[in-house]
Amino acid sequence: MEKVKITIDGIEMEVPKTYTILDAAREAGIDIPTLCHLKDINEIGACRMCIVEVEGARGFATSCVMPVAEGMVVRTNTPAIRDARKVTLELLLSAHDKKCLTCVRNKNCELQTLAEKMNIDELEFEGEMERHPIDDMCPSIVRDPNKCILCKRCVAMCKKVQKVGAIDTMNRGFKSVVGTAFDKSLDDVPCSLCGQCINVCPTGALSEKDATKEVWKALEDPTKHVVVQTAPAVRAAIGEEFGMPIGTLATGKMVAGLKRIGFDKVFDTNTGADLTIMEEGTEVIERIKENKNLPIITSCSPGWVRFAESSYPDLLNHLSSAKSPHQMFGAIIKSYYAEKAGIDPKDIFVVSVMPCVAKKAESKREEMNVNGLRDVDAVLTTREAARMMKQAGIDLNTIEDAEFDNPMGEATGAAVIFGTTGGVMEAALRTVSEILTGKELEKIDFEEVRGEEGLKEATIKIGDMDVKVAVAHGLANATKVMDSIKAGTCDYHFVEVMACPGGCVNGGGQPIHDAKTRATVDIRGLRAKALYDADKNLPIRKSHENPVIKKLYEEFLGEPGSEKAHELLHTHYHKREYFND
Amino acid sequence: MSENNEKCQCQCGCGGKDEREEKLVQIIKDCNYDKSQLMHILNETQNIFGYIPMRAQKIISEELGIPMAEIYGVITFYSRFSLEPKGKYNIAVCLGTACYVKGSQGILDKLKEILGIDVGGITPDGKFSLEATRCIGACGLAPVMTINEEVYGKLDPSMIKDILEKYQ
C-alpha cells in the first residue's frame, strides 16, 4: 500500500495514504476527541470536536474525514484548537438536557467524558432549548430526543448497517431532531427493535425500557417464586460492566451475583437452547425430507422475526415455528419444573437476562403464553442485570463463583455458542447430522459457519446428502437472503439469521463501549471467542446428549415435535403493518 | 404530530379510487424508480395533492424503496413541502432577513388577525392557508408576500384587507 510521510505534534510517521488524520493520530497514540465519528459507519465530520490545525491550510480540518497527504504537518493541541473545541462542546451542552445524575448513561456517556476532558467548569450559554416528547410507548426502546446531540450515529447504524431506516433527521436548523416519520412511536414504524442504535448512542438519548423496578417488586413479593435464566451471550459480557477486560467469561460470578440479588433459582437459558435445537432440528429434518418451505430459517432472534414480519410478510412460512430458547424455557419452567418442584405455576415469576432489547417485546407477544400464563414475565438486558447487582452492592470482581441451579442447570457446548453468529447453525448441524446418519461425528467443529463475514455459505455433507446452509448476521445481510428467496434464486436448505451484527454477543442489550473502543478493539470477536472457549471446555457439546433434555422428553414432552412440544414450545408469526397509521 | 387524512377525501363518488394516487404512481414510473429523483417526485406530489399526505409518502416509500423516515425527513427539511392541506389560495409571507427588517412580521400578524388562523393553518372554508417562508429572492420588493403564484411587494399592513378582498 502506498504510504505518505506526515508529522503530527512533532511525531514523524509513515502511514497508508488511505488514512485519515484521525487514523494516523490514533496510531501515534495521540488522543483526538470525537463525538459523531463511528468508524466505517458514520464518518460525516459533523460535530467538529476532532478539529486540528494543518499547516498551510485555511481554517481547521476535521480530522475524522480529512485524508492524510505527503508532507502534511498537523497539530492537534494548540490554544486555538482547545478554545474552538471547548466552545463547540459548550454549544452542544447548551442544547442538551443535562440531567446527568439521573441519566441511564451516567458515567458511561461520551458527552460527559468530553466535558470532563475539556475541563468545562462553567456553562456560558444558557439560551432557549427545544423540548421534545419522550417516546416510551415501545416495549423495548425509549427515545429521549432532549438528550440527543444530533451526531446521527444511530441513524447511520439503522440505515446503513441494518438497512432498516426507522429513524432519520427531521426538520432543520434549531428544530432538527432525530425521530421517526410522523413522530410515531418506534413501536408503530418498521423498527426491528434490535437496539443497535442504543449501543452507538454517545449519550442517554436512546436506552432500553427499564424492567428493573418490576423485577425488584417481584423479588420482594413473598408469594412469588422468582426464577431467572441467563442467555449464553450475557456471561461473555457482563463482567465488562464491572471493569473486567472485554471477552471475560464470567459465568460463575454472574450466577453468584444473581443469587445474591435474591432470585430463588438461577437457571441457564442454554438448557432452553438445547431444547430449541431438538425442536428446530426436527423441523429442519422434516422440511428437508418433504422439501417443504425451504430454506427453513431460524427464529431465535426476535429482532429478525420482527423485521421479517414487517418487511417480508409473504415469506413467514420459511421461519421455523420453534420459539426462541428463553421463551421455550419459560414455558417449561411454568409446566415441567412447576410440577416437579410442587409450585403453582401462577406463583412463578420468570425473569430472562438477555443481551437483547427485542426480547422485551417478544416476551409480551400475545402468542407467548401457555394456558394464559406468560412464558416469561420480565426481560432484563445485560446492562440492567449489572445495574441491579450494583444497586444491591454486589461487585462481580470480588464475588465467589457459583453454579447454576438444578434440575434445569445442565447445558451443552452447542447451546453456549448460540450467542454468536453461526452458533445456532453449528449446534443444529451437530444434532441434525447425528440424528440423520445415526453415527457419531468425527469432528464437531463446523468452522465454515464461524467468523465475521456477513453472509457465510457452506455445503455440509450429511450421509449422502449435500445440505446447503447459510448464516447471515445484521439485517442488511438478512435482506440479501430474503430477496434471493423472493426472486426464486435461493438454493439453501437451512439459514441462520441474527438481527445484530456478530449475533447476540453484540446485541442491543450488551454493555456499551465508546466509539474509540469500538474502532480499536474487536469487541464482538473477543466475546465470541469466550463462548467458543466455553464450548470447547464443556464435557457435553451436543444438544441431544444433554441429560436434562433427554429426561425432559422421557418424562414430559414425549418426543421432539410432539403435540405437547408444539403446545409449549412452538409459535406462529403474522404480518406487521410496515407503517401504522 | 401531524394526523393527515388517510382515506381519499374526494367527493366525486369514485369509491376510494384516487386519480391523484394513480398519477403519482405514474410519475414514479416515469422516473424509472430512480431514488435520486426523490426531490422531483415530492415536488410533483405537492403539485398534485396541494400537500404531501401520509398515503402519498407510503406510495413513494414502497415504489422507490426509501424508508418512510427518510422521506419525512426530506419533507420537513424544506419549507416548500407541506404536510397539511393548503387552501385554494395559499398565502406565503417572506420572513427572510430583508423582508423581516422591512416589517414583514407586521404583515404576517395582520393576516393572522384578518383570517383568524395561525401559520400553517387553513380557514374553515378551505379558501386561505397561511405560511411563513424563508427568503424568496425578491428582496428589492421587501416586504413581500405571495398568494399562489402572485407576488405582492412593498407591503404595508394597511394594504392587506384590500388585497384579500380580491380573492373573496
Side-chain angles (χ1 to χ4, degrees):
Chain A
M1 192 183 291
E2 205 181 328
K3 294 209 165 189
V4 293
K5 279 200 181 94
I6 63 164
T7 311
I8 306 184
D9 293 346
I11 302 170
E12 284 177 25
M13 60 192 301
E14 222 180 49
V15 295
K17 207 182 163 183
T18 51
Y19 268 32
T20 61
I21 296 175
L22 180 67
D23 292 330
R26 279 186 177 162
E27 201 166 289
I30 295 165
D31 187 35
I32 296 177
T34 61
L35 261 182
C36 67
H37 180 257
L38 201 60
K39 195 167 171 49
D40 298 329
I41 298 172
N42 198 45
E43 297 176 331
I44 57 174
C47 74
R48 296 191 61 80
M49 288 311 303
C50 70
I51 49 168
V52 293
E53 276 180 17
V54 176
E55 216 170 80
R58 203 167 64 97
F60 299 127
T62 38
S63 62
C64 71
V65 287
M66 175 73 113
V68 291
E70 181 60 39
M72 197 180 239
V73 179
V74 179
R75 268 178 290 273
T76 73
N77 177 25
T78 66
I81 289 209
R82 282 197 303 272
D83 281 353
R85 283 182 189 159
K86 199 167 172 178
V87 170
T88 304
L89 186 61
E90 282 171 350
L91 286 167
L92 280 171
L93 288 169
S94 77
H96 180 74
D97 189 15
K98 296 173 280 294
K99 295 196 184 101
C100 297
L101 284 179
T102 51
C103 182
V104 65
R105 293 288 295 275
N106 191 17
K107 293 172 79 185
N108 183 18
C109 167
E110 290 181 45
L111 191 64
Q112 194 183 42
T113 307
L114 272 186
E116 186 209 6
K117 270 190 177 174
M118 301 263 159
N119 201 9
I120 305 281
D121 50 7
E122 183 183 19
L123 293 164
E124 267 191 69
F125 313 111
E126 292 210 27
E128 202 183 325
M129 255 185 85
E130 276 286 308
R131 301 300 308 190
H132 302 277
I134 293 170
D135 172 16
D136 62 355
M137 303 294 284
C138 165
S140 291
I141 301 173
V142 178
R143 286 192 316 117
D144 181 355
N146 304 303
K147 288 180 180 166
C148 175
I149 54 165
L150 298 171
C151 68
K152 302 221 268 181
R153 278 156 52 163
C154 56
V155 173
M157 178 51 87
C158 190
K159 200 149 69 168
K160 283 166 67 181
V161 178
Q162 296 293 63
K163 289 258 176 10
V164 171
I167 46 173
D168 216 311
T169 326
M170 307 305 169
N171 305 326
R172 71 192 284 170
F174 191 59
K175 289 188 183 307
S176 293
V177 61
V178 169
T180 57
F182 289 91
D183 286 339
K184 297 279 181 190
S185 164
L186 278 180
D187 205 24
D188 292 323
V189 299
C191 169
S192 71
L193 308 180
C194 71
Q196 287 298 310
C197 56
I198 300 175
N199 290 17
V200 298
C201 181
T203 73
L206 288 156
S207 57
E208 68 271 74
K209 181 119 173 177
D210 179 83
T212 60
K213 292 181 190 75
E214 63 177 303
V215 174
W216 280 124
K217 210 173 137 202
L219 286 166
E220 281 157 23
D221 185 343
T223 66
K224 291 269 182 251
H225 181 74
V226 188
V227 175
V228 67
Q229 52 165 323
T230 64
V234 176
R235 67 205 67 189
I238 196 164
E240 294 161 26
E241 291 284 345
F242 295 87
M244 293 178 201
I246 294 167
T248 304
L249 192 71
T251 318
K253 295 195 181 301
M254 169 188 75
V255 173
L258 291 168
K259 287 189 172 174
R260 186 85 67 84
I261 283 179
F263 288 102
D264 295 305
K265 292 283 175 192
V266 182
F267 290 152
D268 195 347
T269 308
N270 290 10
T271 312
D274 280 328
L275 194 54
T276 302
I277 287 301
M278 298 307 291
E279 292 297 323
E280 199 170 79
T282 307
E283 208 184 343
V284 169
I285 293 169
E286 272 171 23
R287 285 219 219 160
I288 293 180
K289 277 186 179 161
E290 292 171 20
N291 194 16
K292 190 178 146 199
N293 296 337
L294 293 178
I296 173 170
I297 309 176
T298 59
S299 58
C300 27
S301 163
W304 150 240
V305 169
R306 197 171 157 110
F307 177 74
E309 286 185 324
S310 53
S311 295
Y312 296 94
D314 302 335
L315 299 178
L316 294 174
N317 56 353
H318 287 274
L319 268 63
S320 159
S321 67
K323 284 182 186 174
S324 71
H326 85 118
Q327 295 290 153
M328 279 196 181
F329 203 35
I332 291 297
I333 289 167
K334 289 199 182 178
S335 53
Y336 175 72
Y337 166 75
E339 205 179 296
K340 284 227 140 188
I343 303 168
D344 184 346
K346 284 194 197 72
D347 295 331
I348 299 181
F349 191 90
V350 175
V351 178
S352 300
V353 181
M354 298 282 127
C356 182
V357 291
K359 293 270 179 210
K360 287 176 183 272
E362 181 194 39
S363 73
K364 292 191 163 56
R365 285 177 71 113
E366 219 182 305
E367 317 84 75
M368 295 296 178
N369 78 90
V370 175
N371 303 328
L373 288 179
R374 308 301 309 158
D375 294 344
V376 170
D377 297 285
V379 173
L380 298 167
T381 58
T382 308
R383 300 187 289 264
E384 285 173 288
R387 232 172 272 152
M388 285 182 76
M389 289 176 189
K390 287 178 188 171
Q391 217 179 329
I394 299 160
D395 181 359
L396 288 197
N397 290 294
T398 52
I399 204 165
E400 286 289 327
D401 283 16
E403 301 258 330
F404 282 112
D405 285 310
N406 277 317
M408 313 294 294
E410 186 88 51
T412 69
V416 81
I417 57 173
F418 256 62
T420 180
T421 169
V424 180
M425 176 59 71
E426 183 165 346
L429 288 173
R430 289 180 190 174
T431 290
V432 167
S433 347
E434 294 205 352
I435 289 179
L436 275 178
T437 61
K439 279 189 248 157
E440 200 173 327
L441 280 168
E442 280 169 29
K443 182 170 174 279
I444 66 165
D445 293 336
F446 289 87
E447 264 135 23
E448 50 274 62
V449 297
R450 295 184 181 184
E452 286 294 285
E453 207 185 314
L455 182 58
K456 293 163 276 192
E457 294 176 313
T459 304
I460 311 286
K461 196 106 186 142
I462 299 180
D464 51 7
M465 194 164 50
D466 282 329
V467 178
K468 285 202 79 172
V469 302
V471 173
H473 57 115
L475 290 170
N477 293 312
T479 304
K480 290 179 197 160
V481 175
M482 297 312 270
D483 288 344
S484 75
I485 298 176
K486 225 176 182 172
T489 56
C490 176
D491 62 351
Y492 305 133
H493 294 99
F494 182 25
V495 180
E496 174 203 293
V497 177
M498 292 189 190
C500 293
C504 313
V505 284
N506 188 37
Q510 292 282 61
I512 297 171
H513 293 282
D514 62 27
K516 191 178 173 187
T517 309
R518 287 178 69 101
T520 49
V521 180
D522 177 13
I523 299 171
R524 65 197 206 201
L526 289 169
R527 290 177 186 163
K529 189 180 174 296
L531 295 184
Y532 283 120
D533 289 347
D535 168 35
K536 227 185 297 173
N537 293 327
L538 276 164
I540 307 172
R541 297 180 62 195
K542 296 170 220 162
S543 298
H544 56 287
E545 291 178 356
N546 181 342
V548 173
I549 297 293
K550 282 186 188 170
K551 207 166 152 199
L552 179 64
Y553 278 107
E554 269 167 36
E555 291 182 1
F556 188 64
L557 291 170
E559 54 191 42
S562 69
E563 199 178 315
K564 183 126 200 167
H566 265 274
E567 183 195 328
L568 293 171
L569 311 177
H570 289 255
T571 185
H572 56 271
Y573 312 101
H574 49 77
K575 177 188 164 122
R576 273 186 75 82
E577 274 309 314
Y578 185 71
F579 190 86
N580 283 341
D581 292 346
Chain B
M1 193 168 297
S2 168
E3 284 300 332
N4 280 315
N5 44 332
E6 284 321 302
K7 304 262 158 9
C8 171
Q9 282 205 331
C10 61
Q11 315 275 307
C12 67
C14 65
K17 196 171 138 240
D18 189 334
E19 280 175 14
R20 296 175 299 181
E21 289 182 15
E22 286 171 9
K23 211 166 158 186
L24 171 59
V25 171
Q26 185 60 43
I27 286 166
I28 299 170
K29 200 175 161 192
D30 291 344
C31 290
N32 289 324
Y33 304 95
D34 180 355
K35 287 187 191 2
S36 69
Q37 293 293 308
L38 179 63
M39 281 299 286
H40 167 68
I41 291 165
L42 288 175
N43 255 320
E44 291 297 317
T45 312
Q46 174 87 30
N47 290 339
I48 296 170
F49 291 84
Y51 71 113
I52 308 180
M54 186 195 276
R55 64 181 193 281
Q57 293 180 44
K58 278 185 180 173
I59 291 170
I60 300 169
S61 169
E62 275 166 33
E63 298 286 327
L64 289 184
I66 298 178
M68 280 287 276
E70 185 173 332
I71 294 170
Y72 189 82
V74 173
I75 293 169
T76 53
F77 184 85
Y78 293 103
S79 57
R80 161 165 174 76
F81 299 133
S82 171
L83 291 164
E84 304 292 340
K86 287 196 175 169
K88 188 176 175 198
Y89 302 109
N90 183 49
I91 307 172
V93 181
C94 178
L95 292 185
T97 312
C99 286
Y100 190 79
V101 170
K102 286 277 199 175
S104 59
Q105 186 64 48
I107 307 292
L108 188 61
D109 291 344
K110 190 74 191 172
L111 281 161
K112 283 190 202 169
E113 181 197 317
I114 295 176
L115 297 172
I117 56 173
D118 224 327
V119 170
I122 179 167
T123 53
D125 60 1
K127 203 157 198 179
F128 294 103
S129 52
L130 184 60
E131 63 174 317
T133 70
R134 296 181 171 79
C135 182
I136 61 168
C139 309
L141 298 174
V144 168
M145 72 172 182
T146 58
I147 300 183
N148 289 353
E149 304 299 314
E150 199 70 36
V151 181
Y152 295 89
K154 296 194 188 295
L155 290 169
D156 184 88
S158 65
M159 297 156 72
I160 299 299
K161 198 161 173 278
D162 291 341
I163 294 173
L164 287 182
E165 257 162 29
K166 288 204 282 184
Y167 295 88
Q168 289 296 348

